Amino acid sequence: DGGITQSPKYLFRKEGQNVTLSCEQNLNHDAMYWYRQDPGQGLRLIYYSQIVNDFQKGDIAEGYSVSREKKESFPLTVTSAQKNPTAFYLCASTSRDRVKGYTFGSGTRLTVV
Amino acid sequence: DAKTTQPPSMDCAEGRAANLPCNHSTISGNEYVYWYRQIHSQGPQYIIHGLKNNETNEMASLIITEDRKSSTLILPHATLRDTAVYYCIVRVTTGTASKLTFGTGTRLQVTL
């Protein structure tokens, strides 16, 4: 079945280290997105990409970086510049016509120790 | 994008219809209304979307008022598994730039 795979499900990082979260989709979707969710809050957009080799900053891009070298993959790097990285990270994708809405992955919970 | 307003929480008895309201008084003519839900610690799940007409699928019905300033998501026979946070979002679906902005949603608690 087609879907979005995020890995790992849980991730622990030492303060000051960079860490990369994986997001892979086999839905042949053009656009991909990264969101951050803090406890009791809605989702906030970090970065998004409409096509390969192109991406735009979302509302809270500082301290994060992304790449889109392949249509299927949109990894997110949480850098040491991100002041408060502990959160639940969600990846999503959608087709160009967005007829069926956005498909989300199951998320990665990052904890800085 | 237009802002949406939802009640923070609602309760519903199992087997009854759950009616979740959403206000979007500044919606533009080309903005669709989307509904998603999120069960604890999972990714949001697409439920339904519409522009002007009422919509129905296997999960729910979406009723949009004639002036499009508000809408209601209806779960016809709520079950315990429908307990989740429900998000109402309005968004343009044309053009090259597209992103969804999530508010804090409505926490629906289905009880026995």
Side-chain angles (χ1 to χ4, degrees):
Chain A
D1 290 336
I4 296 183
T5 301
Q6 289 188 242
S7 61
K9 190 171 179 65
Y10 298 95
L11 188 58
F12 295 88
R13 182 196 105 178
K14 289 184 179 179
E15 203 168 331
Q17 288 181 336
N18 292 355
V19 63
T20 298
L21 282 59
S22 170
C23 178
E24 304 277 334
Q25 53 99 359
N26 60 2
L27 299 163
N28 198 34
H29 283 172
D30 300 292
M32 297 185 74
Y33 307 79
W34 274 106
Y35 286 88
R36 169 185 171 135
Q37 188 173 35
D38 294 288
Q41 303 296 314
L43 282 68
R44 292 184 290 168
L45 182 65
I46 304 172
Y47 268 100
Y48 62 106
S49 168
Q50 300 292 309
I51 56 172
V52 174
N53 293 322
D54 186 54
F55 48 82
Q56 288 79 41
K57 292 182 179 180
D59 301 317
I60 55 166
E62 186 175 350
Y64 300 97
S65 66
V66 293
S67 63
R68 186 86 186 276
E69 297 176 1
K70 298 187 300 182
K71 187 176 185 179
E72 304 80 22
S73 178
F74 191 41
L76 173 75
T77 297
V78 184
T79 75
S80 56
Q82 169 51 234
K83 299 301 180 189
N84 188 19
T86 295
F88 187 48
Y89 291 88
L90 287 156
C91 179
S93 71
T94 187
S95 60
R96 187 177 297 277
D97 59 13
R98 293 181 282 281
V99 170
K100 295 186 178 180
Y102 292 63
T103 301
F104 281 83
S106 56
T108 293
R109 188 167 299 279
L110 173 65
T111 302
V112 174
V113 297
Chain B
D1 300 330
K3 184 178 172 59
T4 62
T5 303
Q6 299 177 253
S9 63
M10 293 182 65
D11 292 330
C12 179
E14 189 176 33
R16 304 296 295 270
N19 298 296
L20 290 85
C22 180
N23 286 322
H24 30 79
S25 58
T26 60
I27 193 170
S28 300
N30 60 350
E31 287 184 311
Y32 284 69
V33 180
Y34 282 82
W35 282 85
Y36 288 78
R37 73 180 183 185
Q38 186 177 26
I39 295 170
H40 183 62
S41 294
Q42 297 181 23
Q45 176 190 24
Y46 166 81
I47 301 173
I48 199 167
H49 75 283
L51 182 64
K52 285 191 254 187
N53 300 321
N54 298 337
E55 303 287 344
T56 295
N57 62 20
E58 65 278 6
M59 290 182 68
S61 295
L62 174 61
I63 308 298
I64 303 174
T65 58
E66 194 168 339
D67 62 9
R68 302 208 327 120
K69 293 185 176 182
S70 65
S71 60
T72 301
L73 178 74
I74 301 173
L75 307 178
H77 305 287
T79 71
L80 296 177
R81 286 178 293 181
D82 292 322
T83 293
V85 177
Y86 288 77
Y87 297 99
C88 168
I89 303 155
V90 295
R91 182 60 191 140
V92 174
T93 62
T94 57
T96 57
S98 170
K99 53 182 180 177
L100 293 179
T101 301
F102 287 75
T104 52
T106 295
R107 184 171 298 276
L108 176 67
Q109 180 68 52
V110 180
T111 57
L112 291 170

